[in-house]
């Protein structure tokens, strides 16, 4: 072995340095992110296995077509596109915070970390609205020869196949009076007088339902709710954790902790985590909302 090779070997291995010249904390963050990627990968592979083993699955253009304040307007994937845009922009602001840290720009780090935190909070609020809308939104479903009003929960899925109009009309007559009142309120035929619905009989109420717009469906695969709420909730927990981490980083920056240390490596490590959360959302978005 030549003297130059020996000197190079000693340089790398005489203690305190890794062969990849990588700071310990950053290496550990990469290990954590790799293990977390395996977890998300297992969840998504499990979801794909169950989904493609079913004869029917909920259409994302039907499930995710609502928008805050838009009523019954059919806007497929519009709201989740806004959510995705918010998360991507927050990733950009995190890049700018890391860049400001490399230059030792304390005020720049504070500014861009604030925007990143706001982006994360906005995403979580959007997800909370989406969950609330899916769980509490009641949809007419044909089950056991009558109509039920159910939302998307872990135990119920209103997004099955469209029911035959004749069967749906027959099921309306066999449905409870209070259910028919709710359906007529939501989907009245044009020109219907909605006054005194509680006093009308079942036959009258059934004739006032606009079946064309009610889109009465059969119950869908129950696994959809478990996977959707489980995986998006797990991702949402990561976003929440990232927001907390970023708030801690912001406080440490404002107090001058990193200036005294002489570097902003912690901001870069927080940035790695945030970018991972952003990347995972791309796969969640693809699996649940696009395919």
């Amino acid at each position: 072995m030549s003297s130059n090779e020996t000197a190079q070997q000693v340089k790398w291995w005489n203690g305190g340095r890794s062969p990849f010249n990588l700071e310990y904390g950053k290496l550990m963050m990469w290990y954590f992110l790799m293990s977390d990627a395996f977890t998300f990968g297992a969840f998504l592979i499990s979801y794909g296995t169950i989904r493609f083993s079913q004869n029917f699955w909920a259409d994302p253009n039907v499930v995710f077509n609502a928008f805050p304040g838009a009523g019954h307007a059919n806007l497929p994937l519009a709201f989740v596109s806004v959510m995705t845009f918010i998360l991507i922009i927050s990733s950009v602001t995190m890049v700018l915070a890391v860049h400001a840290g490399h230059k030792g720009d304390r005020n720049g780090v504070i500014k861009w970390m604030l925007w990143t935190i706001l982006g994360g909070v906005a995403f979580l609020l959007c997800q909370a609205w989406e969950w609330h809308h899916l769980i509490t939104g009641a949809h007419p479903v044909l089950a056991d020869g009558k109509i039920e009003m159910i939302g998307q929960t872990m135990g119920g899925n209103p997004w099955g196949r469209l029911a035959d109009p004749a069967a749906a009309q027959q099921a309306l007559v066999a449905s409870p009076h209070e259910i028919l009142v709710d359906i007529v309120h939501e989907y009245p035929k044009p020109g219907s007088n909605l006054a005194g619905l509680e006093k009308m009989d079942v036959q009258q109420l059934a004739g006032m339902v606009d079946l064309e717009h009610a889109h009465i469906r059969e119950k869908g695969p129950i696994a959809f709710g478990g996977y959707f709420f489980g995986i998006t909730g797990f991702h949402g927990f990561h976003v929440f954790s990232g927001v907390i981490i970023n708030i801690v980083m912001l406080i440490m920056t404002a107090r001058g902790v990193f200036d005294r240390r002489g570097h902003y490596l912690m901001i870069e490590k927080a940035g790695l985590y945030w970018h991972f959360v952003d990347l995972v959302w791309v796969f969640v978005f693809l699996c649940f909302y696009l395919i």
Side-chain angles (χ1 to χ4, degrees):
M1 182 180 294
S2 67
S3 59
N4 287 338
E5 289 174 334
T6 302
Q8 184 68 22
Q9 187 179 30
V10 170
K11 177 182 177 182
W12 287 116
W13 291 100
N14 62 357
R17 304 284 292 183
S18 76
F20 303 107
N21 198 25
L22 187 64
E23 193 262 338
Y24 175 80
K26 193 185 296 186
L27 179 63
M28 292 301 103
M29 176 60 77
W30 277 112
Y31 280 153
F32 167 73
L33 296 181
M34 182 174 64
S35 67
D36 218 16
F38 289 153
T39 304
F40 273 106
F43 285 161
L44 293 175
I45 289 170
S46 174
Y47 166 76
T49 302
I50 296 299
R51 171 174 179 169
F52 292 109
S53 68
Q54 302 287 321
N55 293 325
F56 179 86
W57 199 256
D59 183 357
N61 292 304
V62 174
V63 180
F64 308 108
N65 66 349
F67 201 92
H72 289 292
N74 186 26
L75 301 169
L77 306 183
F79 187 62
V80 73
S81 297
V82 172
M83 292 172 60
T84 303
F85 177 77
I86 290 172
L87 201 58
I88 289 174
I89 291 300
S90 74
S91 199
V92 172
T93 57
M94 177 57 88
V95 168
L96 294 172
V98 173
H99 182 65
H102 286 165
K103 297 190 298 181
D105 180 4
R106 177 179 170 184
N107 290 332
V109 172
I110 291 173
K111 177 177 72 172
W112 295 118
M113 287 298 288
L114 272 172
W115 280 112
T116 304
I117 291 166
L118 289 174
V121 171
F123 178 87
L124 290 172
L125 291 175
C126 288
Q127 190 170 57
W129 181 90
E130 182 183 54
W131 277 34
H132 180 267
H133 173 77
L134 288 174
I135 294 170
T136 61
H139 306 277
V141 173
L142 175 59
D144 300 325
K146 60 183 180 180
I147 304 299
E148 298 177 5
M149 298 290 285
I150 65 172
Q152 175 60 67
T153 63
M154 299 283 283
N157 181 354
W159 314 108
R161 292 185 175 90
L162 281 171
D164 178 71
Q169 187 65 54
Q170 187 176 2
L172 284 172
V173 180
S175 300
H177 185 272
E178 60 273 14
I179 295 293
L180 287 177
V181 171
D182 291 340
I183 297 175
V184 173
H185 271 299
E186 287 290 327
Y187 307 101
K189 282 185 177 179
S192 297
N193 183 7
L194 301 184
L197 291 179
E198 288 75 10
K199 299 179 181 179
M200 296 183 183
D201 60 33
V202 170
Q203 291 285 352
Q204 290 175 301
L205 292 171
M208 296 173 64
V209 177
D210 187 353
L211 284 176
E212 183 179 352
H213 292 94
H215 301 298
I216 296 176
R217 298 175 177 271
E218 300 172 357
K219 287 187 177 181
I222 197 171
F224 175 81
Y227 276 107
F228 174 77
F229 291 119
I231 294 177
T232 60
F234 190 56
H235 176 267
F237 175 74
H238 279 70
V239 176
F240 175 76
S241 301
V243 169
I244 298 301
I245 292 169
N246 288 342
I247 290 174
V248 173
M249 295 299 103
L250 177 63
I251 293 172
M252 293 176 70
T253 302
R255 291 182 174 180
V257 173
F258 302 130
D259 287 332
R260 290 192 293 272
R261 290 182 184 178
H263 60 77
Y264 282 79
L265 277 175
M266 287 294 289
I267 300 297
E268 188 171 354
K269 295 170 197 174
L272 287 174
Y273 180 83
W274 194 256
H275 297 321
F276 171 79
V277 169
D278 195 5
L279 178 63
V280 167
W281 178 252
V282 172
F283 290 97
V284 173
F285 178 78
L286 174 68
C287 292
F288 282 102
Y289 298 92
L290 292 185
I291 298 179

